[in-house]
Amino acid sequence: MKEVKIESTLYVYESIEELAVDVKELMSKAVEARNKAYAPYSKFNVGAALILDNGEIITGSNQENASYPSGLCAERTAIYYAGAKYPKANIVKMAITAASQNQKTTAPIPPCGACRQAIAEYEVKQEQAIEIYFMGETGSVAKSNSLANLLPLVFDKSKL
Ligand code: THU
C-alpha cells in the first residue's frame, strides 16, 4: 500500500478590481446572467459566462423547475448552449457568480460536482485547459487554471 497525495492549486483575488480587464468584463457578463436566473425554489441565483476562442461570449443562469431535478445549473446551461451553437470552438475562460436572495454570499462559490463533470467533458474534448473564475455576490474571486484542479481523478472517455 502506498499513499497518494493529490494537490490542487487555486489563486485568490481580493476582489474583481484585481482581475485583468477581459476577466472583469466576463465576470460582469456572469453577473448580468445571474440577474436573469430563474430560481424561485432555492432563491439561489447563479450566473456563468464563458468566452470562446472565436471571441464569442456565451452566458447562462440556473433554471429551476417545480419538479426539482428537472432544473439545470447556470454552468451547464451556458456550456451546453456553447456546444450546441459553436461545436468547433474551444472554451477559453469561464466566470461564475452566485448570489442568495436571502443573504449576501461573500466567499467564492465553486461549481457543483455535476457541473465539474460537464465542464471536464469539454476540457478533455478540446485538449485545452479552461480557466475558471468563481465568486459569490461580492468579495474575493478564486481562479483555477484548469477544470482538472477542481476535479482530480476525473472520469473521462479514456476510462471507457
Ligand atoms: N446551482 C448552479 O447553478 N450552479 C452550481 O454549480 C451550484 C448550484 C444552482 C442549482 C439550483 O438552481 C440552485 O443553484 C441551488 O442549488
Side-chain angles (χ1 to χ4, degrees):
M1 197 272 273
K2 63 176 180 176
E3 183 178 291
V4 178
K5 282 217 163 70
I6 299 172
E7 254 188 22
S8 277
T9 305
L10 287 182
Y11 301 89
V12 181
Y13 298 80
E14 254 176 55
S15 79
I16 47 168
E17 299 311 320
E18 233 188 283
L19 297 172
V21 178
D22 67 321
V23 180
K24 207 169 146 181
E25 171 69 18
L26 195 64
M27 191 55 90
S28 73
K29 297 274 182 204
V31 171
E32 277 175 32
R34 193 190 74 204
N35 290 332
K36 295 181 192 150
Y38 176 58
Y41 305 107
S42 71
K43 314 248 183 256
F44 194 75
N45 294 24
V46 185
L50 43 92
I51 183 153
L52 308 177
D53 62 357
N54 62 11
E56 292 289 335
I57 291 179
I58 303 288
T59 61
S61 58
N62 52 329
Q63 299 295 316
E64 297 187 348
N65 195 283
S67 171
Y68 292 4
S70 299
L72 195 64
C73 290
E75 297 89 325
R76 277 177 287 163
T77 302
I79 210 161
Y80 291 153
Y81 182 55
K85 189 149 193 220
Y86 300 105
K88 296 205 171 100
N90 283 6
I91 299 156
V92 184
K93 297 175 190 181
M94 184 163 195
I96 305 161
T97 170
S100 163
Q101 292 169 31
N102 301 319
Q103 73 222 13
K104 260 213 156 38
T105 50
T106 54
I109 310 284
C112 76
C115 286
R116 292 180 207 197
Q117 181 68 30
I119 300 166
E121 182 70 26
Y122 291 87
E123 186 166 280
V124 169
K125 171 178 162 248
Q126 68 185 33
E127 296 178 344
Q128 184 190 325
I130 302 173
E131 279 181 24
I132 301 171
Y133 297 81
F134 52 95
M135 66 179 298
E137 185 174 355
T138 57
S140 59
V141 183
K143 175 200 180 190
S144 172
N145 280 337
S146 161
L147 187 275
N149 288 319
L150 299 179
L151 190 63
L153 302 181
V154 66
F155 178 82
D156 62 17
K157 63 182 180 184
S158 70
K159 277 85 181 175
L160 292 175

